[in-house]
Amino acid sequence: MATTASHTPVTPLTSLTSVTLEVTDLEEAHRFSTALGVDAHIRLRASDTRSTGFRGFTLALTVCGPATVDGFVGAAVDAGATVLKPAAKSLWGYGGVVRSPDGTVWKVATPEKKDVGPATREIDDIVLLLGVEDVKASKRFYVERGLTVARSFGGTYADFAPGAAGEVKLALYKRRGLAKDLGVPADGTGSHRVVLGGTAGSFTDPDGFVWESAA
C-alpha cells in the first residue's frame, strides 16, 4: 500500500463544522445520541426522505480501550441499536459496529487490544467516514474547496485536519471497503440522510453528499 507523507498539522481554511442526521423520529434519535454521549456533536433534523440499504457513511467513535468499547456498545444496544458486528479483537485493535434506531451505522473502536485502565465514558475522536467510489478524486475535490489533508494512503483512505478541537473529523474510504468493514452490503439507494456543515458554502460532492453553509 503506497503511503504519502503526513502533512504538518495546520489550521485549515475550510473544515467540517457540523454533522446533521436526518431522522424520522426526533425524540427517539435524541434519546439514542444522548445515551451514546454524542448529542453535543451531532445535530438532528426531522425528515421523511426515503433510503434503502447502505447510506454510504458511518460515524466512528475512537475510545481508550476494549472495556470502554464494550460500555459504549452496551449503551447503544440499551438505547435500541442493533448489533451488526459484535465487539471483538482485530488486526487494528478492538471494536464493534451497531445500527441506531434511525438507521445510522456507528462503529466504536480502540487501537488497544488490552485495557490499561478502567472503562470510561470519554470519546477521544468522532470521525465521519464517507464511502466514496474514487478516494483520490474525492480528496482532490475537497482540497480544491480548501480542506487540508492530514493523512493519505493512496487510493484507499484519506482524512482531513479538523477546524478545532472537539469537532467531528472528516475521512474518505472506498465505499465497498467501508461496507465490508461494517459488515453490511454495499448497495443502497436514495438519500444519504446526512448533511455536512462547513465554511466553503453549499455544494454536493461527487458521491452525492450534501454540504450547507455553516450557521
Side-chain angles (χ1 to χ4, degrees):
M1 179 185 297
T3 304
T4 62
S6 297
H7 293 253
T8 301
V10 296
T11 301
L13 298 174
T14 305
S15 63
L16 176 66
T17 58
S18 67
V19 175
T20 301
L21 298 177
E22 297 183 335
V23 302
T24 55
D25 188 328
L26 278 173
E27 184 176 344
E28 179 183 58
H30 183 261
R31 282 198 302 269
F32 178 83
S33 64
T34 300
L36 204 59
V38 298
D39 48 309
H41 304 279
I42 305 298
R43 300 179 183 181
L44 302 172
R45 179 183 298 168
S47 172
D48 291 323
T49 304
R50 296 180 62 83
S51 62
T52 62
F54 183 40
R55 295 180 185 171
F57 75 94
T58 189
L59 283 157
L61 308 183
T62 303
V63 298
C64 65
T68 299
V69 170
D70 291 339
F72 275 96
V73 170
V77 171
D78 289 344
T82 301
V83 175
L84 297 177
K85 291 181 71 173
K89 289 183 180 179
S90 70
L91 180 64
W92 308 111
Y94 183 89
V97 181
V98 301
R99 179 182 282 120
S100 70
D102 68 83
T104 302
V105 177
W106 291 82
K107 181 175 183 178
V108 187
T110 175
E112 306 297 332
K113 295 184 179 181
K114 294 182 179 180
D115 287 306
V116 294
T120 74
R121 287 287 296 170
E122 295 181 5
I123 299 171
D124 295 332
D125 288 305
I126 304 178
V127 182
L128 172 63
L129 279 156
L130 303 183
V132 302
E133 292 301 323
D134 188 330
V135 171
K136 289 183 178 180
S138 292
K139 179 179 69 174
R140 184 166 58 250
F141 175 88
Y142 280 116
V143 168
E144 289 172 351
R145 279 152 185 79
L147 275 75
T148 301
V149 175
R151 296 180 300 171
S152 179
F153 299 93
T156 305
Y157 174 89
D159 60 27
F160 301 93
E167 289 185 350
V168 178
K169 296 181 179 180
L170 177 66
L172 309 174
Y173 199 0
K174 291 282 289 185
R175 179 185 172 97
R176 292 197 173 277
L178 179 59
K180 181 178 180 180
D181 180 63
L182 299 173
V184 300
D187 296 333
T189 61
S191 171
H192 293 295
R193 304 195 72 169
V194 63
V195 178
L196 292 68
T199 55
S202 301
F203 59 89
T204 300
D205 82 356
D207 292 275
F209 290 99
V210 175
W211 286 68
E212 59 186 19
S213 296

